[in-house]
Amino acid sequence: MKIALITGITGQDGYFLTKLLLEKNYEIHGIVRRNSQNSLGNLDYLTNSEKEKLNIHWGDITDNLFMDSIIKKIKPDEVYHLAAQSFVGFSFENPKFTYDVNIGGTLNVVNAVKEYSSDSKVYFAATSELFGKVQEIPQKETTSFYPRSPYGVSKLAGFWTIKNYRESYDLFMSNGILFNHESEMRGPEFVTRKITLSVAKISKGIQECLELGNLDAKRDWGYAKDYVEGMWKILQHDEADDFVLSTNETYTVRNFVELAFKFAGINIMWEGCGINEVGKDSKSGKILVKVNPAFFRPAEVELLIGDHSKAKSILGWEPKTKFEELVEIMVKKDLERIN
Ligand code: NAP
Ligand code: F7E
């Protein structure tokens, strides 16, 4: 039985990766930050029999003594390092905290592996935010990086730390440069989930309006369940390397809003422009979407569109879920939850 350690197991990807590795019969260890409710985050959505199979270790990746002891004790075959302060908007407000967790925490993970379990394979959750102000369309492994937020900068440090440890110490450490991937388990502050939750509430009459920032931002949105399969494939490959995982399609936030309302039976009609733009219910004329500059970022990533050909040809990985299906899954689930 293979042993996996997942940092960030309570997050969106941690949930789907746990399910995948359980299916593959792994012994799973997960790091969970202590909280006053003893909450397991998204893991609470697992069945009891799934939960019973997990080995939870309460701790924080910024604690190097904790990371050393856990890696020394478990000696995992595979480490999926997913833990991070992952919200771009928040990283502008708290850059130091973001660097401490995303850079300091990553250093603790790779150092512990180097010192105490050098046969472990390590996956690092890098991101399309490395491309930021894009230097090439579409973005692939060879595209130059230009991060646009403290989050992007912190992940760039993580990316190079992984590459540097791989080359310096002959360790199996790989970067997954994942484009946005979403799901019904996505945190409610990310734009897709914010939209689908609001659409569900608006359609049930328990919310008046959805306020958003930049409606024109374009993202390459996939389904998280498909992407954790890619993470696993990256570590099954016979050599450590860096891979882009993306859908190779891009849509605006506005497109996402329109489609999400459509799945709740509402047709959105846009009027006005800039901060005065509104989205109205085409039947009743009621304003359901407004622009609120509070959600604008000091620097924006305007366009992301990936090219996953390397992952396709080397790993045989391709996303299975199309954009429309993703939006439908998320809206349906939120309607169910609100009901
Ligand atoms: P997420 O839902 O925000 O989950 C982040 C996880 O990290 C949570 O389990 C969180 O624990 C944990 N964490 C944060 N700080 C920690 C600390 N100091 N010590 C221990 N655990 C800590 O993120 P996600 O969407 O699953 O993404 C997983 C990883 O992929 C992240 O590194 C993210 O930056 C990266 N990424 C995500 C995307 C995407 O589109 N989803 C794309 C590219 C890369 P709590 O539950 O206690 O908060
Ligand atoms: O924003 C715009 C916002 O916060 C997407 C993380 O998983 O993916 C994620 O980062 C876009 C941006 O995700 C609102 O300005 C408009 O252009 O959902 P998001 P993100 O910043 O792309 C990458 C790949 C990661 O690695 C990150 O960890 O939507 N937007 N109005 C808004 N965004 C939010 N959150 N809220 C709004 O009201």
Side-chain angles (χ1 to χ4, degrees), residues 68-87:
D68 286 352
S69 73
I70 205 84
I71 295 277
K72 206 171 176 175
K73 191 159 93 190
I74 303 170
K75 293 204 187 306
D77 297 293
E78 296 169 12
V79 178
Y80 294 88
H81 175 35
L82 310 182
Q85 190 304 92
S86 75
F87 189 43

Side-chain angles (χ1 to χ4, degrees), residues 8 10-13 33 60-61 82-84 86 101 125-127 151 155 178-181 186:
T10 57
Q12 169 189 259
D13 292 1
R33 283 195 283 190
D60 195 303
I61 59 161
L82 310 182
S86 75
V101 175
T127 163
Y151 170 79
K155 285 286 182 173
L178 272 54
F179 281 64
N180 297 54
H181 45 281
R186 188 58 143 151

Side-chain angles (χ1 to χ4, degrees), residues 46 69 115 128 132 136 182 247 269 273 321:
L46 295 175
S69 73
E115 293 304 323
S128 51
E136 188 181 18
E182 317 292 316
T247 67
M269 184 178 76
C273 62
T321 314

Side-chain angles (χ1 to χ4, degrees), residues 284-314:
S284 66
K286 193 173 171 225
I287 294 178
L288 301 183
V289 189
K290 281 185 194 161
V291 174
N292 182 344
F295 297 111
F296 291 160
R297 292 172 181 175
E300 177 63 289
V301 172
E302 298 290 351
L303 161 73
L304 289 173
I305 177 163
D307 173 355
H308 65 243
S309 355
K310 180 175 169 185
K312 187 176 175 186
S313 67
I314 298 181

Side-chain angles (χ1 to χ4, degrees), residues 58-278:
W58 298 90
D60 195 303
I61 59 161
T62 58
D63 176 351
N64 63 314
L65 297 180
F66 167 74
M67 279 317 305
D68 286 352
S69 73
I70 205 84
I71 295 277
K72 206 171 176 175
K73 191 159 93 190
I74 303 170
K75 293 204 187 306
D77 297 293
E78 296 169 12
V79 178
Y80 294 88
H81 175 35
L82 310 182
Q85 190 304 92
S86 75
F87 189 43
V88 173
F90 182 77
S91 79
F92 285 102
E93 287 162 36
N94 286 276
K96 164 82 166 58
F97 176 73
T98 303
Y99 286 8
D100 286 350
V101 175
N102 297 4
I103 305 177
T106 298
L107 202 55
N108 290 338
V109 172
V110 295
N111 266 331
V113 167
K114 172 176 166 276
E115 293 304 323
Y116 301 111
S117 186
S118 57
D119 288 335
S120 299
K121 293 178 166 187
V122 178
Y123 171 88
F124 175 63
T127 163
S128 51
E129 286 293 302
L130 301 184
F131 300 119
K133 188 173 178 184
V134 299
Q135 303 294 297
E136 188 181 18
I137 298 172
Q139 298 87 49
K140 47 185 184 282
E141 293 79 1
T142 50
T143 303
S144 303
F145 298 132
Y146 195 137
R148 291 275 276 175
S149 64
Y151 170 79
V153 173
S154 73
K155 285 286 182 173
L156 188 60
F159 174 92
W160 283 110
T161 301
I162 291 291
K163 214 169 158 104
N164 180 251
Y165 270 55
R166 174 164 89 214
E167 292 171 2
S168 307
Y169 309 116
D170 195 24
L171 297 166
F172 192 113
M173 296 194 173
S174 295
N175 285 297
I177 307 172
L178 272 54
F179 281 64
N180 297 54
H181 45 281
E182 317 292 316
S183 74
E184 63 278 25
M185 312 309 289
R186 188 58 143 151
E189 72 274 38
F190 297 94
V191 78
T192 57
R193 187 76 199 294
K194 180 175 170 182
I195 295 168
T196 60
L197 263 173
S198 297
V199 164
K201 288 181 183 168
I202 289 170
S203 75
K204 297 287 166 200
I206 52 174
Q207 182 177 323
E208 284 290 307
C209 183
L210 162 64
E211 293 193 355
L212 292 169
N214 182 5
L215 296 171
D216 296 316
K218 288 184 164 174
R219 288 292 182 276
D220 177 329
W221 278 299
Y223 188 35
K225 191 169 183 231
D226 297 343
Y227 285 57
V228 298
E229 179 97 38
M231 293 177 186
W232 177 77
K233 286 193 167 186
I234 287 173
L235 289 196
Q236 308 319 303
H237 186 46
D238 47 19
E239 58 187 77
D241 202 347
D242 308 322
F243 293 93
V244 160
L245 303 185
S246 60
T247 67
N248 303 358
E249 288 180 9
T250 193
Y251 295 91
T252 60
V253 171
R254 191 192 310 278
N255 297 144
F256 198 106
V257 170
E258 286 164 2
L259 202 53
F261 273 105
K262 196 182 123 200
F263 285 121
I266 299 168
N267 185 38
I268 289 289
M269 184 178 76
W270 299 98
E271 272 180 28
C273 62
I275 58 165
N276 297 316
E277 184 169 4
V278 292

